[in-house]
Amino acid sequence: LASALKKLGYSVVRNWKEEMRHITCKKGNIPCYMGRNLRKVIVGADDTPNFGFEGVFHGVDAIVGAPACLFFSDILKSNPDVKVILTVKDLNLWWRRMKCEYSKKQGHFVDMSIVPNLSGAPTKVSSSQTHIIISNILSYGSVEPKEYMYKRKYKEHVERVLREVPKERLLIFDVDETDAYNKLCKFTRSTLCNSKLISSSFPTEHTVC
């Protein structure tokens, strides 16, 4: 989804990983510290966060992925015109992909007995490892994928979004659908949409293990 939105001309960050790449945000060419600001909220260093796009998510058009998606209700309240894209897919396929991604990275993790707390990480854990650990704990309750709990959290999140987001501000988006760009173009009203783009292939996801 992030790649597709960028193709439509939007500045997008995924979680807080973009901060590590020292990207420059599109609006005003300012450094994008969304990651640092979101981390402050999560560790309790900011008790009165501003979830507006001039606050925690300043300088960007869209934020994609966990754990930022957990704050969608706060973002809705702070941004009256914001739109929400809920990505969905077959639950069993989603689970296989989650398990696959974890198995690919598991060999790079240190002993899980030294899993970092949310305010920091042991020196042996890289920043990318820390992100995965924190994201999985916040989103699903554990670092290692547990089928029942992960599926349960996934369904709870989908149900909550459907319940709380007004229909006129919500796009339910299946990444495996063939007319993905057509739906995104209608929903976002991007000026970069044209017949060639609409008929083009949506960025493919990683193959399941």
Side-chain angles (χ1 to χ4, degrees):
L1 180 59
S3 298
L5 288 172
K6 288 178 181 178
K7 200 169 183 179
L8 294 179
Y10 297 103
S11 58
V12 184
V13 287
R14 297 184 59 194
N15 315 302
W16 55 59
K17 292 185 287 187
E18 300 284 357
E19 175 191 20
M20 303 170 191
R21 301 172 191 165
H22 307 289
I23 68 166
T24 299
C25 291
K26 186 179 72 173
K27 296 179 178 178
N29 292 323
I30 56 176
C32 183
Y33 297 114
M34 181 280 300
R36 184 178 302 171
N37 291 338
L38 182 58
R39 190 184 294 269
K40 286 181 180 178
V41 176
I42 291 171
V43 302
D46 184 356
D47 293 326
T48 56
N50 173 6
F51 280 98
F53 279 83
E54 75 285 356
V56 173
F57 302 120
H58 77 270
V60 297
D61 298 315
I63 169 70
V64 177
C69 65
L70 301 178
F71 299 95
F72 77 88
S73 60
D74 302 279
I75 298 170
L76 280 174
K77 293 174 184 176
S78 300
N79 306 276
D81 298 325
V82 78
K83 293 184 176 183
V84 176
I85 300 173
L86 174 64
T87 54
V88 297
K89 64 184 68 175
D90 176 81
L91 186 60
N92 290 322
L93 178 59
W94 172 83
W95 163 246
R96 290 201 301 272
R97 283 175 174 160
M98 288 294 294
K99 193 166 57 173
C100 168
E101 288 300 314
Y102 179 81
S103 65
K104 286 179 180 177
K105 299 178 176 69
Q106 189 175 20
H108 302 291
F109 282 120
V110 294
D111 185 347
M112 287 297 104
S113 64
I114 61 168
V115 166
N117 58 42
L118 297 185
S119 60
T123 55
K124 292 183 179 180
V125 181
S126 72
S127 57
S128 60
Q129 292 167 348
T130 302
H131 166 79
I132 296 168
I133 290 169
I134 293 176
S135 179
N136 283 12
I137 290 175
L138 287 174
S139 303
Y140 307 108
S142 67
V143 178
E144 183 180 354
K146 311 290 185 183
E147 184 170 4
Y148 174 75
M149 288 304 299
Y150 268 51
K151 285 183 175 181
R152 184 171 181 267
K153 290 291 186 180
Y154 176 91
K155 290 187 288 187
E156 285 178 350
H157 178 70
V158 170
E159 290 168 0
R160 186 180 168 214
V161 171
L162 293 176
R163 184 172 62 250
E164 296 185 19
V165 180
K167 290 182 179 180
E168 65 274 11
R169 297 168 68 182
L170 176 65
L171 172 63
I172 301 172
F173 188 73
D174 186 340
V175 296
D176 295 319
E177 289 184 342
T178 55
D179 62 340
Y181 273 118
N182 188 31
K183 285 191 172 183
L184 274 180
C185 284
K186 288 181 179 179
F187 187 68
T188 63
R189 299 181 181 178
S190 169
T191 57
L192 295 183
C193 289
N194 53 55
S195 57
K196 183 178 180 180
L197 176 62
I198 290 174
S199 62
S200 64
S201 299
F202 195 73
T204 56
E205 293 190 290
H206 298 297
T207 305
V208 179
C209 295

